[in-house]
Amino acid sequence: MSIQGHEDDLRSERSYVAGLYARLDTERARVKAEYNSALRGRDGSPMEREFHVRALDKAAKRLDVADNGLCFGRLDTASGEHSYIGRIGIFDEKNEFEPLLLDWRAPASRAFYVATAANPENIRRRRQFHTRGRRVVDFTDEILGRPDGGEQVVGEDEDAALLAAVNAPRGDGMRDIVATIQAEQDGIIRLDHPGVVVIEGGPGTGKTVVALHRVAYLLYTQRERMERHGVLVVGPNPAFLNHIGRVLPSLGESAVVFTTTGDLVPGLRVTAEDTPQAMRDKGSLKILDVLAAAVADRQRLPEHPLSIDLADVTVRIDSETAQWARQEARESGLPHNAARTVFAEIITYVLTERAIARIGQGWLTRADREAWEQLRADLLAELAENDKFTAALDELWPVLTPETLLAELYSCPERLSAAGADPALLRADGDAWTVSDVPLLDELIDLLGRDKAADEAAERAAERERKAEAEYAAGVLDTLIKREDLNDDIGLLAKDMLYGEDLADRFVERDTRELVERAAADRDWTYRHVVVDEAQELSEMDWRVLMRRCPGRSFTVVGDLAQRRSVAGATSWDTMMEPYVPGRWLYRSLTVNYRTPAEIMTVAAALLAEFAPGVQPPESVRASGVQPWSRRVTEDELHTAIAEFVRDEADRDGTSVVIGPPGVPGTVMASETKGLEFDAVLVVEPERILADGPRGAAELYVALTRATQRLGVLHQGPLPQALTGLADNGTLAQAGKQP
């Protein structure tokens, strides 16, 4: 293509994209008008109207996010047809089957990401737009089968868009890659697999963003099925979730709950950390036997008969009676709290039989059935009001909560011993919860079951509250109507917006929270799909929790075994997946590093070879031309060097971080940066990071691979062997001043 031809094409593309934006604006205005009308509508029930309003709100949000990079490419087929690729689909209003813009997730868009010169997929040319706001500033063409004559292609560079994206300064959060998805990534995003997909990749391979785009793809292809239950995304820490939280909304998807493993039990607050041994014990499936034994230990037999004084007789709960009741309750198969009813029924049956026999001695026989049953009813009522009887039941078969049971187990050596637990679980503050306690508490919710009496009381209280709210709402509406009747100038009356019974119905009929709010607050909520990031850190018990959250076993699992730090984490994917989805999980790997430049990856790869010699490091897609550096400092110089790095990076575009071992002021631990990326990274005292715990090498590997542009190292002692190839930065005044 000649330069003049390029300019002509550019004007044409600008005009076409401007037309797409005009249609987007028209559609946005239409949806907004329908939304406003629906807010005032009276057709249908309140629930139907609420559903319609929410659907229009979602449609409006999808149109809003499409504004940024609406159209980013074009495909020309070998037969001369062409199609445009973008964030959403736009169709000709006169012919709804004629696409003016293809959604990037549509099957017809796949060639934009996977076509190559060797396999052109019937595509002659792939054109990628470079935009600023709504304007196309330029484009890059890639010819996949040059036309006869070998014409020149102006600006031809198949990696231009990708390199521009990976070289751009990092902002506060992860960006979507919808315009630059690579073939290796696209194959995973579009996988049609109903079970578990495990995506493993080294640092910077884009595994997280691929998993999020896979969620967007599944929501596009299975929207009705997926949106009813939503998607759960599990990450290692809140900073990571905040980092990735914009990706799915930028793709128009909002039916997603983001959480950490420590937040999987709603309302629980994690405040402590486990020792490595305690973490290992709690993460193993062997802890299930400990939990079952701890529950059984609370189902006790009396050491001495327990006397219950009734009006006409004293009865006793002896060990034999309690043992029979306990056996029947356990064999019922009910959770502990529900089985208490069986236990109590056996006890009351024995006590009432004995009491009737004593009270009726000499005058009452079973033949007098009516009198016998009347006396039994009187005794049952008396037992129900008897404090000693209630106390005896509480002693022998108490109603338990997961928190109470586990806290008392941890703080009592005798209970730990009775449950067969490792003494390493003993701690002074039993209810100082750790992340590893969460799956145990979740397990106990099912082992113990609900407290039926407490649930019924809560339901009665909630019903009283709903009725009070409905009466209040009706009163407010009546007041508004009376006021409006006195003022004829008001154009829109309250009664025009909502009938009184409708307002009351909204309180009674349904929960008006968004799906993600309801799901996040409900431990029993089940999701249609679950994404697990940094999955190598999850224990066997963590996986039990997540499998309960997704009965359909539809997962996208993301991780890197070489980066595992947790002593309870995965040593192989097979060990974690096979017990739950035997034969239903697929493994895919990502091999290209889009984050870490080759200069930095060379250093990280040397460390990887030392602690995981069988793992192949990902291949960097680019070199930055900036060599990573190191400098040896004294203890007095360390703080100054860190401050200079921070000050110098503040003058640059992008983000930076200082990573160090615990206790070094001005640094964060590597575990807090997992999954994150920064333009510049300063690693402080790597030798201490290596020495910190059994997985110190993995910690240092994570620290070294967070940088997209610049890496520096400050050390007081000798450099670890793998880092000796770093360039010596010389004097303190040069620290952090690499170009």
Side-chain angles (χ1 to χ4, degrees), residues 15-137:
S15 175
Y16 190 88
V17 172
L20 292 176
Y21 273 110
R23 291 178 182 272
L24 176 68
D25 291 339
T26 300
E27 181 65 9
R28 183 184 287 131
R30 182 190 67 78
V31 171
K32 184 177 180 180
E34 285 192 22
Y35 177 80
N36 291 334
S37 176
L39 287 176
R40 298 178 55 184
R42 297 180 182 177
D43 296 336
S45 68
M47 184 180 296
E48 290 171 337
R49 293 200 299 275
E50 190 78 33
F51 178 81
H52 186 47
V53 166
R54 289 184 184 274
L56 289 169
D57 183 52
K58 288 180 181 179
K61 289 177 179 177
R62 288 196 179 102
L63 293 173
D64 286 342
V65 299
D67 218 339
N68 181 25
L70 173 63
C71 176
F72 47 78
R74 166 180 151 177
L75 288 174
D76 293 354
T77 67
S79 60
E81 298 175 346
H82 61 263
S83 55
Y84 288 83
I85 315 298
R87 288 183 175 272
I88 64 171
I90 294 180
F91 294 86
D92 189 333
E93 58 206 25
K94 297 179 181 178
N95 182 2
E96 62 180 17
F97 299 107
E98 182 66 30
L100 302 175
L101 181 68
L102 287 173
D103 191 298
W104 67 274
R105 296 165 288 191
S109 299
R110 180 176 175 273
F112 185 78
Y113 300 108
V114 302
T116 64
N119 296 289
E121 303 270 340
N122 196 40
I123 300 300
R124 187 181 74 84
R125 175 170 56 190
R126 173 169 45 219
R127 174 169 289 176
Q128 292 180 303
F129 296 143
H130 312 301
T131 60
R132 185 177 297 116
R134 290 187 164 203
R135 188 168 185 267
V136 177
V137 296

Side-chain angles (χ1 to χ4, degrees), residues 364-383:
L364 180 63
T365 66
R366 288 187 182 275
D368 191 350
R369 185 173 180 179
E370 184 176 348
W372 189 286
E373 291 302 325
Q374 180 59 52
L375 183 54
R376 180 191 297 279
D378 293 341
L379 288 168
L380 287 174
E382 191 174 351
L383 282 172

Side-chain angles (χ1 to χ4, degrees), residues 177 185 202-211 558 590 592-595:
I177 58 169
Q185 299 168 329
T205 52
K207 51 189 178 294
T208 297
V209 75
V210 166
V558 179
L590 293 170
V592 179
N593 188 332
Y594 300 99
R595 175 203 302 146

Side-chain angles (χ1 to χ4, degrees), residues 340-561:
R340 174 183 160 110
T341 302
V342 178
F343 180 83
E345 286 175 352
I346 299 295
I347 296 292
T348 53
Y349 170 77
V350 172
L351 296 187
T352 54
E353 284 291 306
R354 291 174 179 173
I356 292 171
R358 292 177 188 173
I359 295 171
Q361 187 175 8
W363 65 272
L364 180 63
T365 66
R366 288 187 182 275
D368 191 350
R369 185 173 180 179
E370 184 176 348
W372 189 286
E373 291 302 325
Q374 180 59 52
L375 183 54
R376 180 191 297 279
D378 293 341
L379 288 168
L380 287 174
E382 191 174 351
L383 282 172
E385 299 295 328
N386 189 287
D387 291 339
K388 282 191 174 182
F389 180 66
T390 302
L393 289 180
D394 290 342
E395 178 183 342
L396 301 178
W397 197 288
V399 173
L400 297 171
T401 67
E403 293 83 356
T404 299
L405 177 71
L406 207 55
E408 293 178 353
L409 176 68
Y410 288 153
S411 58
C412 179
E414 292 76 20
R415 291 194 189 281
L416 283 173
S417 177
D422 190 325
L425 299 185
L426 182 67
R427 66 190 189 206
D429 192 352
D431 58 1
W433 305 119
T434 70
V435 171
S436 300
D437 289 328
V438 173
L440 278 60
L441 291 165
D442 192 76
E443 190 77 30
L444 285 169
I445 291 174
D446 287 345
L447 281 177
L448 298 177
R450 307 293 185 183
D451 180 354
K452 185 177 180 181
D455 285 349
E456 290 176 348
E459 288 178 7
R460 289 193 296 270
E463 181 62 27
R464 287 194 298 270
E465 185 176 353
R466 282 194 293 268
K467 288 181 178 179
E469 288 175 337
E471 291 172 1
Y472 174 76
V476 169
L477 187 64
D478 289 341
T479 301
L480 289 173
I481 291 173
K482 289 176 181 177
R483 289 179 180 176
E484 289 163 345
D485 287 343
L486 299 176
N487 187 351
D488 294 335
D489 295 332
I490 296 177
L492 180 63
L493 303 180
K495 59 188 177 184
D496 292 328
M497 298 173 62
L498 198 65
Y499 291 118
E501 65 267 23
D502 290 349
L503 189 59
D505 285 346
R506 287 182 182 233
F507 288 105
V508 175
E509 288 189 6
R510 69 189 301 265
D511 186 339
T512 59
R513 293 174 298 171
E514 295 284 354
L515 178 143
V516 293
E517 295 177 286
R518 289 183 282 126
D522 186 356
R523 179 264 174 184
D524 295 322
W525 189 279
T526 57
Y527 297 88
R528 191 64 70 185
H529 189 77
V530 176
V531 175
V532 185
D533 211 322
E534 299 294 340
Q536 73 277 355
E537 306 298 342
L538 271 62
S539 69
E540 293 175 318
M541 287 297 294
D542 289 325
W543 283 109
R544 279 181 66 85
V545 178
L546 293 176
M547 292 296 169
R548 278 195 286 270
R549 299 297 191 273
C550 186
R553 303 291 195 265
S554 178
F555 282 75
T556 300
V557 176
V558 179
D560 179 12
L561 294 179

Side-chain angles (χ1 to χ4, degrees), residues 104-105 176-178 181 184-199 206-223 225-226 231-233 247-248 251 253 256 528-532 553-558 584-588 590:
W104 67 274
R105 296 165 288 191
D176 67 67
I177 58 169
V178 63
I181 295 170
E184 180 184 57
Q185 299 168 329
D186 187 78
I188 296 173
I189 289 170
R190 297 176 191 266
L191 266 176
D192 183 18
H193 181 68
V196 175
V197 175
V198 175
I199 308 171
K207 51 189 178 294
T208 297
V209 75
V210 166
L212 296 176
H213 282 68
R214 175 166 165 75
V215 169
Y217 175 76
L218 292 174
L219 284 165
Y220 175 81
T221 57
Q222 306 173 32
R223 184 164 303 282
R225 176 174 173 267
M226 297 278 285
V231 174
L232 178 67
V233 176
V247 174
L248 285 167
L251 298 173
E253 305 301 346
V256 181
R528 191 64 70 185
H529 189 77
V530 176
V531 175
V532 185
R553 303 291 195 265
S554 178
F555 282 75
T556 300
V557 176
V558 179
R584 282 191 59 218
W585 66 282
L586 295 179
Y587 175 86
R588 293 292 185 270
L590 293 170

Side-chain angles (χ1 to χ4, degrees), residues 685-703:
E685 300 199 66
E687 65 278 12
R688 282 182 53 189
I689 296 176
L690 271 177
D692 181 30
R695 296 293 296 176
E699 283 275 279
L700 183 55
Y701 183 60
V702 170

Side-chain angles (χ1 to χ4, degrees), residues 46 200 244 285 438 720:
E200 184 164 29
I244 69 172
L285 293 180
V438 173

